[in-house]
Every structure is written in structure tokens, then in C-alpha cells.
Amino acid sequence: MASAAAYLLSDAIADYRLEWGDLQASADTIRARLKHVLDFLQAEEARAGMFGLETSCAVACGTPFIAAFRAWSKDQPVVWRNKKGEITTSRPRSAASTEESVLQLSAVLNHAADADPPRSERRPVYKPLPRKQVSRPRRHRVDVPVLARMVRYAAEPGKRRASLHAFLVGSICTLARPDAVVDICVAPEREQWFPESPTIDLNPFGRAQTKKFRPTLPVLPVLAEWLAAELAVYEKLDRTDRAGAGYLVNYFGRPVQDVDTSWRTMLEELRLPVGREWKPYILRHSLATILRNRGVAKWDLQGFMGHGAGSTTEIYAIGRFDTVRAALEEVIGEIDAAAPGAMRRTCAEVSLSGPSKEVLKMTG
């Protein structure tokens, strides 16, 4: 057994990423959280503080270390950089963001203790603060008329808003988290959906389920039209060109990680707030609120959103979620009445995916 006093925290982080973190679907998130810890060590090194790059796991397991990290972290803004590495946007760091790094740090230290043979005999004496203690409840929601304005904006002819349009339709029809919506794909090897299938599996083949469970849902008619149209485009491609194609949310055939830029532009042009609570996640929160207030069955809503999943029953039986489906179709009908045809794929720009090489040259 190695000694925690001799095993450096920076080495433990590197080993954790190599042996576990970088192999997970959430690798990018894990990397960002641990980078924040390494930034703390470097900042301490630079100012000749109590800690630094030579900090051991034994020290990192103690209360003084985590107290210093939390105090430092709260003053560090969250920043976004462009391809040149220049900071383009920043916001104050929330306490919840700090605790996510604390959670990941604890995982690193426990990984070292659980290794075979163990690399450390110490475990952290602290735990991350509960989310309810550090996260302010999201207070803002949008109603059906605002959803209709968003969809009408995204469906406006002649605008390059197809990715945003598909994202809005996918979110409304599934109530899925943003990362699950951009992950919807009709490629057969993904095994998420096939022609005329009554269901769609939000968790593609080969992806392990996480605490943010991705359920199998009924396919609403409007979403079925979008998926069928995307599959038709996919099948027209040469087999050599099908790798990475078939995504519901795409930019001229290329999958996207998010729609944050077009989303912010939409909020600005519609004169809606652009704060933290108005990120794309507001769609899921808003639709859940709308459906709950319309009296959908609690079990239906929980299952549709992937909450409380994992029972043996759910392994065998795919829920029909009749009350949620009926309420969603009612909401879609109201959106269509306010913005006629905007939920249909034909309102988006021509060649949502698979464009000519000339178009790719112009947009690439």
C-alpha cells in the first residue's frame, strides 16, 4: 500500500482520468471539474500558499484543504473561451459549481484508496454540500404562447435556424434534457428509432445509463415526421458518408454539441431575458410545469422525464404515458394554432442535412 502522504494529488487526478474519468460519457464535465482543482493548486503555488502542486492526497483529504479550496473557488468566475483561447464570456461562479468540483475531487481520492493495490490509505473527511443547500431553485418558466413565439422564430423561412428549430421540436416532444435532445439520431446502429416505431430510446446503443436517466418514450406524430424525413436524407447518402450523420439536431449534416449561440440570439431578438435561468434547460422545466398544472398523472410525468427510473418493472414494461402524451399533443395543438405550421419540418431551411459541397464551402 502506498502512503497518502507520498501520493501527490495531481498524480491521483491524472490516474483517475486515465483509468476512469476519460472513459465515461461525462468525460468533458469530469475534466472541467478537475481542472478547477488543478487551477487552485497552481494558484496556491504561485502565491506560495499553504498548498500547491506538491500537495499530497493525505493533505487533500483534510478539512483545511477543502476549506481553502471553497474560499478560493467562490471568487473565480466561470469563463468561456474562443478557439484562440481568449475569454469571450464570464459569469460569477455559483456555490453549486464549486461543490461539483468537490464531488469530483472526492471521487479521485476514493479511487486512489479503492485501487488494487491501494495507492492511498486515506479517504476525504468531507462531503460535498447537498444541492438543495447550494442551488437556488429555478424560478422562471415560459408559457405556451412564448413557446409558440420561439418555434415561429426558428421556423422562419430563409433563415439558417434549422438546428434551433429541430432542437425546439425535439425538446417539446420529449421533455428531454438538452444533451439528450442533441443526441437523438436515426442511424440504425444507434438503435434509438426505426421507421414507424411507436417509441424512441433517448439512450443510444452503447451508452451507459447515468443518474440522469434517459427513458424510452412514445413518439408523437410531429416528431415522427421529423425523424422519418431525417432518415430519408440519411439513406440517400453514400455509405461512406453516413458516419456522424442522421442526427435530428444538426448543422448541414454535422452533429452539434449544443444550440447555445442560436438560443441566445433568439432570446435577444424576441426580447426575452438572457440570464442563467433562461438557458435551453428552461424548456424542460417549463413543459414539466405546464403538464403538471394540466393534471397529468404523477407516475406518467416522472417516467416520461426519466425521474425515479430503474425499477424492475421499467426494465420489462415501456410506459405509454397516456396522460402526458395527451397533454403534450394539446400543447402542440395550441402552438400550431398560434404559429400555424411552425412545428412542421418543412418550415425549416431546405436541406436540413446532407447539402451540396458548395453549401458546405460557404458555411464551413
Side-chain angles (χ1 to χ4, degrees):
M1 177 184 292
S3 169
Y7 190 34
L8 298 184
L9 175 58
S10 56
D11 289 339
I13 289 174
D15 290 339
Y16 174 83
R17 284 190 49 191
L18 180 66
E19 298 167 359
W20 177 258
D22 288 353
L23 306 179
Q24 306 307 305
S26 56
D28 289 344
T29 300
I30 292 172
R31 184 163 50 250
R33 291 174 178 176
L34 293 178
K35 181 182 182 303
H36 191 51
V37 176
L38 292 173
D39 287 346
F40 167 68
L41 296 179
Q42 292 174 344
E44 284 286 285
E45 186 84 14
R47 75 177 190 88
M50 292 178 58
F51 310 103
L53 298 177
E54 297 300 315
T55 296
S56 67
C57 286
V59 172
C61 285
T63 301
F65 178 85
I66 207 62
F69 172 73
R70 283 173 169 145
W72 170 85
S73 179
K74 71 178 183 179
D75 295 327
Q76 309 307 309
V78 178
V79 300
W80 286 264
R81 301 177 185 274
N82 58 22
K83 293 181 179 179
K84 297 180 180 179
E86 301 167 335
I87 296 176
T88 57
T89 310
S90 67
R91 65 168 173 79
R93 184 174 298 274
S94 66
S97 177
T98 295
E99 293 309 307
E100 287 168 355
S101 288
V102 173
L103 175 66
Q104 212 66 61
L105 172 62
S106 296
V108 167
L109 296 169
N110 284 320
H111 179 79
D114 291 335
D116 185 17
R119 301 178 184 129
S120 170
E121 76 280 11
R122 299 283 186 86
R123 294 183 184 274
V125 299
Y126 49 82
K127 293 182 179 180
L129 299 176
R131 177 166 287 274
K132 290 183 179 180
Q133 184 176 335
V134 295
S135 295
R136 186 178 68 174
R138 295 177 184 266
R139 301 166 298 169
H140 299 291
R141 304 289 188 271
V142 297
D143 56 15
V144 175
V146 173
L147 290 175
R149 289 175 60 199
M150 290 179 172
V151 177
R152 184 192 299 115
Y153 168 88
E156 186 177 349
K159 305 292 185 180
R160 291 184 176 178
R161 299 170 183 165
S163 298
L164 177 64
H165 191 196
F167 177 81
L168 285 166
V169 172
S171 297
I172 292 170
C173 292
T174 65
L175 272 70
R177 299 177 181 87
D179 62 307
V181 175
V182 299
D183 215 18
I184 294 174
C185 184
V186 299
E189 65 272 14
R190 303 263 298 184
E191 298 186 10
Q192 291 186 271
W193 177 85
F194 60 87
E196 300 183 9
S197 171
T199 62
I200 180 169
D201 190 344
L202 295 181
N203 198 56
F205 177 78
R207 180 189 179 275
Q209 287 282 15
T210 66
K211 292 181 180 180
K212 294 184 177 180
F213 187 84
R214 294 187 182 183
T216 297
L217 303 176
V219 179
L220 273 62
V222 65
L223 180 59
E225 291 182 7
W226 279 76
L227 296 174
E230 193 58 53
L231 180 62
V233 173
Y234 175 86
E235 292 179 336
K236 290 180 181 178
L237 296 173
D238 292 335
R239 291 189 179 277
T240 56
D241 295 329
R242 290 182 180 179
Y247 284 85
L248 172 67
V249 183
N250 65 77
Y251 184 73
F252 291 104
R254 299 187 294 259
V256 302
Q257 291 186 331
D258 56 59
V259 295
D260 290 353
T261 300
S262 57
W263 177 269
R264 184 181 179 87
T265 300
M266 176 189 69
L267 294 181
E268 291 174 346
E269 295 196 13
L270 294 181
R271 297 186 178 181
L272 295 170
V274 293
R276 174 176 172 271
E277 292 193 18
W278 285 79
K279 300 290 185 181
Y281 213 98
I282 197 173
L283 293 176
R284 179 172 163 91
H285 286 220
S286 298
L287 286 160
T289 301
I290 291 170
L291 297 187
R292 182 177 181 180
N293 290 339
R294 295 192 180 200
V296 303
K298 180 180 179 180
W299 187 91
D300 277 359
L301 186 56
Q302 285 181 334
F304 203 92
M305 299 187 71
H307 294 159
S311 71
T312 302
T313 300
E314 288 159 347
I315 295 175
Y316 291 95
I318 297 175
R320 290 176 54 182
F321 310 115
D322 289 340
T323 61
V324 172
R325 179 168 184 158
L328 274 178
E329 289 179 343
E330 183 180 90
V331 168
I332 291 171
E334 293 173 14
I335 292 174
D336 196 54
M343 289 290 289
R344 303 292 297 276
R345 185 179 187 271
T346 51
C347 287
E349 60 192 66
V350 178
S351 291
L352 181 62
S353 60
S356 64
K357 294 182 178 179
E358 288 73 15
V359 174
L360 284 175
K361 289 180 180 178
M362 291 173 61
T363 61

